Amino acid sequence: MPLDESAPSMARGHAAPIGIFDSGLGGLSVLRAIRAQLPHESLLYVADSLHAPYGLRDNEFISERTLAIGEWLVSQGAKALVVACNTATAESIALARGRLAIPIIGVEPGIKPAANQSKSRVAGVLATQVTLRSERFRSLIERYAADCRFLCQPGHGLVEAVERCEIDTAEVRALLASYLEPMLAAGADTLVLGCTHYPFLDAAIRDIAAGRLTLIDTSVAIARQLERVLDANGLRAPADAAAADAAAADVVAADADRQPREPRLYSTGEIAHMRQLASTLLGLAGPVEHIRITSLRRAPERTPSA
Ligand code: DGL
């Protein structure tokens, strides 16, 4: 579910870009929904792939990365920030709202829609360990657990698989099956994708579930929430912004008006995987730029699996 948002907004024009970030490539699933909902907006996307997965990090580290990347996006002129990461939202959105003077939209697992949709009253939740153990998540579950049972499963290894662009290998299927089969055996009819990386595993999940699970992915709801926040703050890009850009680039304006604008993609880590995922799953042909964004604390060495 999208989280609000209202913040004192710095004087940034409606033509300014929207900053989106995730620990890695997962937030591209949110970017995909934002492009569809808001085709006239300019988007800057940062994948902090050098430090993924956040699900293995401590809270202080995640907060520092969120602030450092948020500040970098603000320095690039972002008029709003989408924290397209359940883990970073759970640990650091309150801090980010206190420090960054632009509206901030976060994401959280779709517990409410799952509770609304489940007929069996048993729903599975796949998310990172950090998200599942967070205070925010606990209170979300408490609100909806009265008449619905939630089976919470950390998706160890899944973020790393998506980061390597391994979205439908035998290993990933085996891992997913080991998480989903106990849920199915317990009567789950609904599955919350509580990490923005997981929608990219959608095809493998659907095959394993064979029609027995309704998948809850909140990226479209996040895009709609962003639209409301932009409107409320007078920050929505006018439809003619894309056409003006197209005219400058000698492109037919009518086409430009229909086509979502190409986002600018940045990664702190491996750019080849990001290019591959962006091209295969989003049809984006543009370049990926490598960036270095430092935070106060040096990243500890990564452990092999999440
Ligand atoms: N996409 C992030 C999320 O939604 C993944 C977190 C991680 O890197 O572990 O939580």
Side-chain angles (χ1 to χ4, degrees):
M1 290 288 285
L3 285 171
D4 209 327
E5 40 294 328
S6 5
S9 81
M10 283 169 74
R12 287 174 190 262
H14 50 227
I18 294 163
I20 305 170
F21 105 91
D22 178 41
S23 62
L25 306 182
L28 289 173
S29 63
V30 177
L31 178 139
R32 179 170 57 188
I34 292 174
R35 290 186 82 219
Q37 185 74 23
L38 297 162
H40 307 300
E41 298 290 344
S42 300
L43 306 177
L44 308 177
Y45 181 93
V46 174
D48 196 16
S49 291
L50 182 65
H51 302 114
Y54 281 5
L56 289 179
R57 306 289 191 177
D58 62 52
N59 301 353
E60 194 189 344
F61 182 86
I62 297 167
S63 296
E64 284 180 3
R65 293 308 297 161
T66 303
L67 279 183
I69 295 167
E71 278 164 7
W72 186 81
L73 284 163
V74 168
S75 79
Q76 300 302 301
K79 64 185 176 186
L81 174 67
V82 179
V83 179
C85 177
N86 291 266
T87 309
T89 298
E91 289 310 329
S92 55
I93 198 150
L95 183 71
R97 290 207 171 110
R99 298 277 187 89
L100 304 176
I102 57 174
I104 301 179
I105 291 97
V107 301
E108 63 184 10
I111 298 301
K112 183 180 176 186
N116 287 342
Q117 286 189 32
S118 173
K119 293 196 170 47
S120 67
R121 313 311 294 147
V122 183
V125 185
L126 259 187
T128 70
Q129 188 91 273
V130 171
T131 299
L132 295 178
R133 70 161 191 241
S134 68
E135 204 43 58
R136 258 181 197 284
F137 183 74
R138 252 202 303 274
S139 73
L140 197 56
I141 289 283
E142 267 168 33
R143 254 179 284 156
Y144 298 101
D147 74 333
C148 190
R149 197 168 141 228
F150 291 97
L151 308 172
C152 300
Q153 169 66 52
H156 297 303
L158 298 177
V159 167
E160 292 93 324
V162 174
E163 288 294 305
R164 293 191 300 266
C165 272
E166 290 170 12
I167 54 173
D168 205 4
T169 61
E171 289 75 16
V172 165
R173 279 176 178 256
L175 201 53
L176 282 168
S178 74
Y179 298 151
L180 301 183
E181 271 155 16
M183 294 177 184
L184 290 163
D189 65 352
T190 305
L191 176 68
V192 176
L193 302 179
C195 167
T196 54
H197 281 70
Y198 302 165
F200 291 125
L201 304 171
D202 174 84
I205 293 173
R206 284 181 199 281
D207 269 5
I208 294 163
R212 291 169 291 170
L213 291 172
T214 300
L215 306 190
I216 308 286
D217 164 18
T218 55
S219 49
V220 172
I222 295 157
R224 292 204 183 113
Q225 183 64 8
L226 171 62
E227 183 176 37
R228 283 192 288 272
V229 170
L230 293 178
D231 283 342
N233 288 275
L235 289 173
R236 177 103 163 256
D240 58 4
D245 273 11
D250 208 18
V251 176
V252 179
D255 281 352
D257 208 36
R258 279 196 297 272
Q259 295 295 322
R261 311 176 94 192
E262 279 281 309
R264 295 192 68 167
L265 305 178
Y266 302 90
S267 175
T268 60
E270 170 61 67
I271 62 171
H273 284 156
M274 187 168 183
R275 197 179 289 136
Q276 189 186 334
L277 202 71
S279 148
T280 314
L281 294 171
L282 278 72
L284 296 174
V288 175
E289 292 173 50
H290 184 268
I291 40 156
R292 195 184 293 260
I293 299 178
T294 49
S295 47
L296 290 177
R297 192 151 56 109
R298 273 173 60 90
E301 287 302 307
R302 272 192 281 169
T303 43
S305 76

